[in-house]
Amino acid sequence: MAPDSGPFPEDPFLKVLPLDAKDRGTQRCRLGPAALRSLGAHLGSAVRISLPDGGSCLCTAWLRRDGADGFVQLDPQCASPGAAVGASGFRGNLRLSSLRLVSCPSLRHLTVWPVLREGAGAPCASNAAAVLEAVQELLRNRPVSRGHVVTAPPGAPGPVAALHIVSGAPSPDPAGVVTPRTRIGLSAVPPSEAEPRPEVPLGGLSEAADSLRELLLLPLRYPRTLAALGLAVPRGVLLAGPPGVGKTQLVRAVVREAGAELLAVSAPALQGARPGETEENVRQVFQRARELASRRPTLLFLDEVDALCPRRGGPHRAPESRVVAQVLTLLDGIGGDREVVVVASTNRPDALDPALRRPGRFDREVVIGTPTLKQRKAILRVITSKMPISSQVDLSLLAEMTVGYVGADLTALGREAALHALLHSKKNQDNPTIDEADFLEAFKKIQPSSFRSVIGLTDIKPVGWEQIGGLEDAKLKLKQLELQEIFNRNVMIVAATNRPDVLDDALLRPGRLDKIIYIPPPDEKGRLSILKVHTKNMPMGPDVSLENLAAETSFFSGADLGNLCKEAALLALQENGLEATTVKQEHFLKSLKTIKPSLSHEDLSLYENLFQKQGFSNLEDT
C-alpha cells in the first residue's frame, strides 16, 4: 500500500522480503511508514520481533527505501540463538503484533563471553587486548539483549567469531545499547555455566524425555570423545506422535538441559514458489546449523518433516523428489559434523519417504502417543499450577473425563475454563476462581483432537465386570490370569479371534499365546444377565418379561441382545414421539421380527468340532 493510504487494519500480516545487501550485518529491520506509526517507533528505535519458531530478533527500526507498507525485512544478525533465520533472512509472514517497541537504555557495563575463531586460542593475557578491541568494534552502537548471540560478519578482521551477551548494568533485558562509554568485560565462564537454565515442566512427557535424552545428550555433550572411542552415535532422530502432544516442547527442554544451540525450523515454511527455491532454503538451514555448531553443539529441529519429504513416486511428483533427494544428501553430509544432531517430527510417519528412515539418517525413532490417564493428570497439574483453581476441582476426575485429549487440548481446556470464570463470575470480579462448572462449560467447546490420529497408544475407558452379562466361567479364568500377571509384575497380551482354525500353530505354542479361553455363546441364564445390563437405565413397562425374552433368543450373541434393546427403544419413540415414557413388551416382540441372531447351529457345531481336535481339547480346562 502507499505511505499515505491510512491506518493498518487490526493486526495485519507483514510479508517478509529478502534483505538488501547494504543492510547485511547492520542489525536493522526495514518497515513501512504505517507500521512505524502503529508501533510508535522512530528511526533507530529498538524493536523486538517474536518469530513463529519461538526465537526472536532484536533490531533497530528503519524506513523501507521504497516506502511501501505491508512488508518487513530482517537482518539475520538480529536473531536469537536457535531462531530459524537463514543467511538471507527469515522466510514467511509475521503479524504486526509480533513486533514490539522496547526500551533500550545506554549500558554502563556489559559482560560478554567471546567465541574465538579457529587458531585464535583462548583469551589469555597475550591476546586479551586484541580480543577486547574486536569485541568493542563488533558491539559499537548496537542494541543487545541478555542471552542473545552477536555474530561477526563474514570476513570481518579480528579473533572474535561471536559474542554471547551474559549480563550488564542496567540489565539488558529486554534490551540495552552499547555506547562509547560502555565498559565491556569478558566473562570467565561460558553463559551456560554463568546462570542456571530454567527447568521446563514436562507434564506427562517424562518417559519420552528419558528416551530422547539417551539419544541426544551423549552426541551433543561428548561428540569428540565418542568419536575418539570409535562409537557410532545417532545423527538423526524422528519424533512421531499426534499433533499437540508436546514434541516441540520436549525438544526444547532436552536441548536446554544439554546446554546446546537449537535451530528450529517449520518444514512447510521452507517451501518456495520458484523451481529450486525449496532446495536452496533447505541448504541454507543446514549451513546455518553448521555455523552454530562451530561455536557449540547444535540441534537442528525440522518440524512437520512429512510436508518436506513425502513419499516419492508418480509422474507428477518430480519437484518433491528433488527436495527429498536434497534432504538425503544433506543428512548424509552432516554425519561428518560431530556436533550437529538433526531431529525431525511428524504426525504422519507412514507418509515419509522410506529412504529417510534407513540407518545413518533418521534411524532412531521416539513415539509420543496420546497421553494416558496418569499423564493427563500430570499435564493438568502443570497447566493449573498458576491458575486460581477452586479446592473443589478434582484433577483426577478431569483426567478421567479427558480421554483422547493431548497436551494442547488440555491447555485449551484450561484457558477456556479461565475465560468462562472471568466472563461469568458474579462474585469477586477482581479475583475470580475457576471451579468445576467452568471446566464443564469448557468441555462444550474443546473437543479431543487425537481421535483423528492413530499414532501411539489408545486410552480406553475402563469397563467393570458388572457391565458384562453372563460368561461367568470366562470371567473367572480371566481374573485368574490377571492375578497371575500382577503377581509376576509383567505385561499380559490378550488376542481375540473368531477364526481359530486359521491361526498359525507357532503362535499357540508355550511362551506365546499359550492360554486359550473359549468364549461360548451365552446360555439362557447368561442372556438374561446381558438383557439386565442393557436395560438397566431403560424405563420399561410392567408387562416386560426379560425371562421370556431370554428364553426366546437362542443363538443371540451379546451384541445381538444389545441391538434388540436399542431397536425396542426406537420403536417406542416412533410410536409415541417425545411423549414416550416406557418401553413395552410389544416393542421387544416387534424387534425380534427384525433383529436376527448372528449365530447358527452350524456355527456352533463347527466350533465344537474344532475344539475336540487334538491340541484344542484343553480350551475349557485352562
Side-chain angles (χ1 to χ4, degrees):
M1 65 178 71
D4 58 351
S5 58
F8 266 142
E10 183 180 355
D11 198 10
F13 276 107
L14 300 178
K15 182 175 178 58
V16 181
L17 297 180
L19 188 73
D20 291 343
K22 294 181 180 180
D23 286 336
R24 195 173 305 278
T26 62
Q27 206 170 340
R28 293 176 179 174
C29 56
R30 297 257 179 196
L31 300 164
L36 290 175
R37 286 196 301 270
S38 297
L39 293 172
H42 305 286
L43 294 183
S45 296
V47 176
R48 180 183 289 276
I49 303 177
S50 300
L51 300 177
D53 64 359
S56 64
C57 278
L58 178 65
C59 57
T60 54
W62 287 73
L63 184 65
R64 283 180 49 82
R65 290 188 171 90
D66 59 6
D69 272 318
F71 305 97
V72 61
Q73 295 168 288
L74 304 180
D75 180 14
Q77 181 90 28
C78 75
S80 63
V85 179
S88 61
F90 170 76
R91 300 298 182 91
N93 294 326
L94 294 170
R95 286 191 178 274
L96 183 62
S97 59
S98 300
L99 282 68
R100 183 167 60 92
L101 194 66
V102 295
S103 60
C104 195
S106 299
L107 297 172
R108 300 188 302 274
H109 178 77
L110 183 67
T111 302
V112 300
W113 168 262
V115 178
L116 304 185
R117 301 183 190 277
E118 292 186 7
C124 56
S126 59
N127 66 349
V131 171
L132 190 57
E133 182 180 355
V135 169
Q136 291 171 337
E137 182 63 28
L138 183 58
L139 295 177
R140 185 186 303 274
N141 298 324
R142 284 192 182 277
V144 295
S145 179
R146 185 168 61 87
H148 275 217
V149 177
V150 179
T151 307
V160 177
L163 294 172
H164 291 256
I165 308 301
V166 178
S167 61
S171 176
D173 192 2
V177 64
V178 180
T179 69
R181 296 184 178 182
T182 303
R183 290 182 292 109
I184 299 177
L186 304 182
S187 174
V189 294
S192 59
E193 301 175 13
E195 54 186 62
R197 294 173 176 268
E199 182 179 352
V200 176
L202 290 175
L205 293 176
S206 56
E207 295 180 4
D210 292 340
S211 301
L212 194 59
R213 286 190 193 100
E214 181 181 349
L215 295 174
L216 298 184
L217 289 187
L218 284 178
L220 285 176
R221 283 183 172 175
Y222 312 108
R224 302 185 188 280
T225 303
L226 293 172
L229 294 174
L231 297 177
V233 294
R235 311 310 312 173
V237 179
L238 181 67
L239 290 181
V245 294
K247 299 186 290 292
T248 303
Q249 178 192 13
L250 180 63
V251 170
R252 293 186 183 278
V254 175
V255 169
R256 179 178 283 104
E257 181 179 337
E261 296 278 8
L262 174 63
L263 178 58
V265 181
S266 175
L270 298 176
Q271 298 283 358
R274 294 178 282 103
E277 185 178 1
T278 304
E279 295 94 303
E280 176 62 25
N281 293 341
V282 173
R283 286 194 294 270
Q284 289 180 0
V285 167
F286 275 79
Q287 180 59 35
R288 171 68 171 164
R290 291 190 177 95
E291 293 172 358
L292 292 173
S294 65
R295 303 194 294 266
R296 55 197 303 196
T298 298
L299 186 145
L300 172 58
F301 179 50
L302 298 175
D303 197 11
E304 299 180 88
V305 70
D306 52 279
L308 192 66
C309 301
R311 284 180 175 268
R312 290 173 289 184
H316 304 294
R317 308 198 69 174
E320 291 90 342
S321 299
R322 290 196 299 269
V323 174
V324 174
Q326 177 69 83
V327 173
L328 296 177
T329 301
L330 292 169
L331 284 174
D332 293 338
I334 212 167
D337 297 297
R338 294 189 295 270
E339 297 190 356
V340 177
V341 174
V342 183
V343 176
S345 72
T346 178
N347 59 347
R348 301 173 59 224
D350 293 338
L352 283 177
D353 191 272
L356 259 71
R357 304 171 76 175
R358 77 154 175 79
R361 292 164 182 167
F362 295 121
D363 51 353
R364 304 294 179 91
E365 299 185 8
V366 176
V367 177
I368 307 175
T370 305
T372 62
L373 175 64
K374 180 180 178 181
Q375 291 171 336
R376 292 196 302 274
K377 185 175 180 181
I379 296 171
L380 286 168
R381 190 178 295 114
V382 171
I383 292 172
T384 59
S385 61
K386 297 182 179 180
M387 299 171 65
I389 299 294
S390 169
S391 59
Q392 297 180 351
V393 174
D394 187 352
L395 294 184
S396 299
L397 179 60
L398 285 178
E400 292 179 2
M401 297 173 64
T402 50
V403 175
Y405 282 68
V406 297
D409 298 329
L410 296 172
T411 302
L413 185 71
R415 182 175 60 247
E416 192 65 34
L419 287 174
H420 186 270
L422 179 65
L423 297 175
H424 297 85
S425 178
K426 296 181 179 179
K427 299 180 180 179
N428 201 2
Q429 290 273 353
D430 295 332
N431 297 293
T433 301
I434 305 171
D435 55 25
E436 288 184 350
D438 299 315
F439 279 101
L440 293 177
E441 287 296 325
F443 273 114
K444 298 178 181 179
K445 298 182 179 180
I446 307 300
Q447 301 297 322
S449 60
S450 68
F451 284 161
R452 298 189 293 268
S453 176
V454 294
I455 299 176
L457 301 175
T458 301
D459 197 12
I460 301 174
K461 187 175 181 180
V463 177
W465 292 110
E466 69 280 358
Q467 297 174 262
I468 304 174
L471 304 176
E472 300 303 327
D473 291 340
K475 288 180 186 178
L476 178 59
K477 294 169 185 175
L478 284 171
K479 288 178 181 178
Q480 292 172 349
L481 285 177
E482 182 182 14
L483 289 174
Q484 178 181 346
E485 294 303 324
I486 291 176
F487 178 78
N488 294 333
R489 294 184 180 181
N490 211 330
V491 176
M492 181 170 62
I493 299 176
V494 178
T497 180
N498 59 355
R499 293 292 308 279
D501 55 314
V502 299
L503 290 178
D504 193 292
D505 293 339
L507 195 64
L508 304 177
R509 74 158 176 79
R512 293 172 182 167
L513 299 180
D514 50 357
K515 298 291 184 182
I516 305 174
I517 299 176
Y518 172 45
I519 308 295
D523 55 14
E524 184 173 338
K525 181 180 178 182
R527 293 195 297 272
L528 176 60
S529 178
I530 294 171
L531 286 170
K532 289 180 179 179
V533 170
H534 285 292
T535 58
K536 180 179 179 181
N537 298 319
M538 182 182 296
M540 296 188 297
D543 60 333
V544 174
S545 173
L546 295 182
E547 289 77 7
N548 291 341
L549 289 174
E552 296 178 13
T553 50
S554 297
F555 300 113
F556 274 65
S557 66
D560 298 333
L561 294 171
N563 286 337
L564 178 69
C565 296
K566 291 178 183 177
E567 184 67 20
L570 288 175
L571 288 175
L573 284 175
Q574 290 174 1
E575 287 186 4
N576 302 312
L578 297 177
E579 297 179 358
T581 57
T582 59
V583 181
K584 302 177 181 178
Q585 182 76 1
E586 61 179 294
H587 299 134
F588 282 100
L589 296 178
K590 289 182 180 179
S591 299
L592 281 174
K593 297 179 181 180
T594 57
I595 303 297
K596 300 300 180 183
S598 57
L599 301 174
S600 65
H601 181 73
E602 290 76 11
D603 295 330
L604 297 182
S605 299
L606 176 65
Y607 279 106
E608 290 173 359
N609 294 333
L610 178 65
F611 297 147
Q612 290 174 359
K613 291 182 180 179
Q614 185 177 1
F616 290 91
S617 59
N618 65 335
L619 286 176
E620 295 188 350
D621 299 326
T622 54

